[in-house]
Amino acid sequence: MSFVRRAATVLAAATALTAGLAMPALAHVTIQPGSAEQGGFTKVAFRVPNERDDASTVKIEVSFPTDHPLAFVSVKPLPGWDVKVTQGKLPKPVKTEYGDLEEAVTKVVWSGGKINPGEFQEFEVSMGQLPKDTQALTFPTKQTYSGGEVVDWADPPKADGTEPEHPAPTLKLVAASGGDGHGTAAASAPAAPAGAAPVVVPASTDGTARLLGGAGLVVGVIGIVIGALGLRRRPTS
């Protein structure tokens, strides 16, 4: 019985440790999938979890880059939510394959809906043409709760490589793999005109992968402890 109690204690401690490591990563506002090809078009979802036990998320405001503006942006209608797409004049025109771009989408706001405690929602956008001269695009996002609290997901990466408290959703851009120059198969079709409904694509399983990695850590810790306890119980000759 002493052995069983020790093993149970180790399991509880390891599970708590894994949960503490995994949950903060899963709670961030992220963009899914997290990468796309330079020069192509892509469809992404801004994944927003509700982090409060006593309030619901009632508004999401996503800012789009103006230093690397996107010529084509369209949103997928989401039942129960109103969406407003703001287009503004750029600080200076940007040359694209379609000519000089003087105006672009600068902000998309979803409101009128609700993400309850313990739930998450995904807000889908089709966009392009992705720039070829940068390795990432950031989309600072403000999350408003029913109690009036606003969480600003806009922190840049830290110099030491650790994750900031409120990281801005970031889309990594990788070199094109070839083909017709419009990115991967999932993002090969040009974005539809503003207001159209793009095709839905499955969200990334990044959060699930982290959780499974944490579960593997738990199993490994338990195996080591059980082995050590077994050796201690072995009678000496």
Side-chain angles (χ1 to χ4, degrees):
M1 291 300 296
S2 176
F3 170 75
V4 173
R5 285 196 297 269
R6 291 180 185 178
T9 300
V10 171
L11 174 60
T15 302
L17 173 62
T18 302
L21 293 174
M23 291 309 294
L26 297 178
H28 294 164
V29 173
T30 58
I31 187 169
Q32 304 292 334
S35 64
E37 290 188 354
Q38 295 172 330
F41 292 79
T42 190
K43 294 181 285 289
V44 300
F46 292 93
R47 181 178 296 171
V48 182
N50 191 84
E51 294 185 306
R52 302 294 180 261
D53 296 330
D54 57 352
S56 299
T57 297
V58 295
K59 181 180 177 182
I60 296 297
E61 180 180 318
V62 179
S63 295
F64 280 63
T66 55
D67 54 345
H68 294 93
L70 301 168
F72 302 98
V73 176
S74 60
V75 297
K76 186 179 189 302
L78 184 62
W81 291 82
D82 299 320
V83 60
K84 180 180 179 181
V85 180
T86 300
Q87 188 165 335
K89 193 173 184 64
L90 299 174
K92 61 179 181 179
V94 176
K95 293 186 178 297
T96 72
E97 295 183 9
Y98 307 96
D100 289 347
L101 188 64
E102 297 183 353
E103 291 188 353
V105 170
T106 57
K107 186 183 300 181
V108 178
V109 178
W110 287 268
S111 61
K114 183 168 62 174
I115 308 174
N116 293 317
E119 298 178 351
F120 75 94
Q121 184 59 267
E122 292 185 337
F123 302 86
E124 295 176 304
V125 176
S126 177
M127 58 190 184
Q129 186 175 18
L130 301 177
K132 300 178 181 180
D133 58 347
T134 185
Q135 295 182 337
L137 294 177
T138 58
F139 298 82
T141 300
K142 293 182 179 180
Q143 180 179 12
T144 302
Y145 286 93
S146 54
E149 178 189 8
V150 178
V151 179
D152 195 0
W153 299 92
D155 293 347
K158 291 185 177 181
D160 60 3
T162 59
E163 191 171 60
E165 183 177 3
H166 298 102
T170 300
L171 179 67
K172 295 181 180 180
L173 301 180
V174 299
S177 58
D180 60 5
H182 286 287
T184 61
S188 58
V199 179
V200 181
V201 295
S204 168
T205 56
D206 175 66
T208 303
R210 294 186 184 186
L211 199 56
L212 290 176
L217 175 62
V218 171
V219 173
V221 171
I222 294 172
I224 293 173
V225 173
I226 290 177
L229 291 175
L231 290 176
R232 293 182 59 183
R233 288 168 55 88
R234 181 179 299 173
T236 57
S237 55

